[in-house]
Amino acid sequence: MADTIEFWFDPSCPWCWMTSRWIAEEIVPNREVDVTWRVLSLTKLNEGRDLDERYAQMMEDARLGAQVAVGVGQTYDNETLGRFYTEVGTRFHPGERLNERSAIVEALEALDLDVSLVERAEAGEFDEGIVTDLKGATDLVGDDVGVPTISINGNAFFGPVVTPAPRGDDALRLYDGALLVASVPGFYELKRSREKGPSFE
């Protein structure tokens, strides 16, 4: 029986991007899983919080990517949303064009999707969907988290946060371990200080 995975992402987050590559490129081909992609807008999550000026600007810059991702999911289907995340994330992160409007347009064009989704997103058409997707995540894990947020067979958690994305046997061991600890009632957190920045190897 396939594991059911819900993966909440914000296209702007490099840490989430690496975790998504672990799921999409290592777990999907090697385990029986069904993945549903969902958007967790960091901009919306942080609304009303006291942020320093630099981080507040980062959150504002991230708004459009999440809005367009919700639009893709609403207009097309889950598979297309996953493919859009791959296209836009590749441009944002390894491509070093984080949150560029032109990168979002190119990602839509690469998949032959409606580029008017960008203008519709800018007009606020998908903001209700942003709220709905965010609530879906925070109802499971609370609002003191971020991306990636993952639910596997109903067991939800923030993370894992990894760099670079694990490959091969390491990737499968991490999946089995994450599934195991998340299934234990009352388990909340494992954490250690990050000593390295994002690596897109």
Side-chain angles (χ1 to χ4, degrees), residues 82-150:
R83 291 190 295 125
F84 172 73
Y85 183 29
T86 294
E87 289 289 340
V88 77
T90 299
R91 288 165 173 79
F92 277 7
H93 302 300
E96 299 182 347
R97 297 173 61 196
L98 182 60
N99 296 328
E100 290 184 13
R101 188 182 191 276
S102 61
I104 297 170
V105 172
E106 287 176 17
L108 293 168
E109 290 175 337
L111 298 171
D112 199 26
L113 304 181
D114 183 2
V115 295
S116 75
L117 287 170
V118 176
E119 292 179 353
R120 292 164 62 191
E122 289 171 327
E125 183 173 334
F126 307 116
D127 288 356
E128 185 176 338
I130 288 279
V131 173
T132 300
D133 272 4
L134 176 62
K135 186 177 187 302
T138 57
D139 281 354
L140 291 173
V141 296
D143 60 6
D144 188 27
V145 291
V147 290
T149 289
I150 302 175

Side-chain angles (χ1 to χ4, degrees), residues 15-150:
W15 299 99
C16 185
W17 169 251
M18 286 180 289
T19 304
S20 75
R21 297 310 89 192
W22 163 63
I23 291 291
E25 297 172 7
E26 297 294 328
I27 303 308
V28 168
N30 293 296
R31 291 293 166 86
E32 193 174 350
V33 296
D34 293 322
V35 180
T36 299
W37 300 99
R38 303 194 186 282
V39 178
L40 192 164
S41 167
L42 293 174
T43 308
K44 191 66 178 176
L45 179 68
N46 284 283
E47 271 187 3
R49 297 183 179 179
D50 185 18
L51 307 176
D52 66 59
E53 186 176 341
R54 176 176 170 273
Y55 193 71
Q57 186 60 57
M58 287 173 56
M59 290 300 93
E60 186 55 38
D61 292 344
R63 183 184 302 274
L64 183 60
Q67 290 171 315
V68 173
V70 167
V72 170
Q74 289 183 0
T75 305
Y76 298 96
D77 55 25
N78 177 67
E79 181 184 356
T80 304
L81 177 56
R83 291 190 295 125
F84 172 73
Y85 183 29
T86 294
E87 289 289 340
V88 77
T90 299
R91 288 165 173 79
F92 277 7
H93 302 300
E96 299 182 347
R97 297 173 61 196
L98 182 60
N99 296 328
E100 290 184 13
R101 188 182 191 276
S102 61
I104 297 170
V105 172
E106 287 176 17
L108 293 168
E109 290 175 337
L111 298 171
D112 199 26
L113 304 181
D114 183 2
V115 295
S116 75
L117 287 170
V118 176
E119 292 179 353
R120 292 164 62 191
E122 289 171 327
E125 183 173 334
F126 307 116
D127 288 356
E128 185 176 338
I130 288 279
V131 173
T132 300
D133 272 4
L134 176 62
K135 186 177 187 302
T138 57
D139 281 354
L140 291 173
V141 296
D143 60 6
D144 188 27
V145 291
V147 290
T149 289
I150 302 175

Side-chain angles (χ1 to χ4, degrees), residues 156-157 177-178 180-191:
F157 49 89
L180 177 62
V181 298
S183 70
V184 175
F187 174 81
Y188 291 105
E189 187 172 4
L190 282 173
K191 191 171 184 178

Side-chain angles (χ1 to χ4, degrees), residues 163-189:
T163 186
R167 301 295 182 185
D169 289 343
D170 286 345
L172 298 178
R173 281 197 300 271
L174 177 60
Y175 179 76
D176 292 338
L179 186 57
L180 177 62
V181 298
S183 70
V184 175
F187 174 81
Y188 291 105
E189 187 172 4

Side-chain angles (χ1 to χ4, degrees), residues 4-22:
T4 300
I5 299 175
E6 292 181 279
F7 190 107
W8 280 268
F9 68 93
D10 187 304
S12 72
C13 179
W15 299 99
C16 185
W17 169 251
M18 286 180 289
T19 304
S20 75
R21 297 310 89 192
W22 163 63

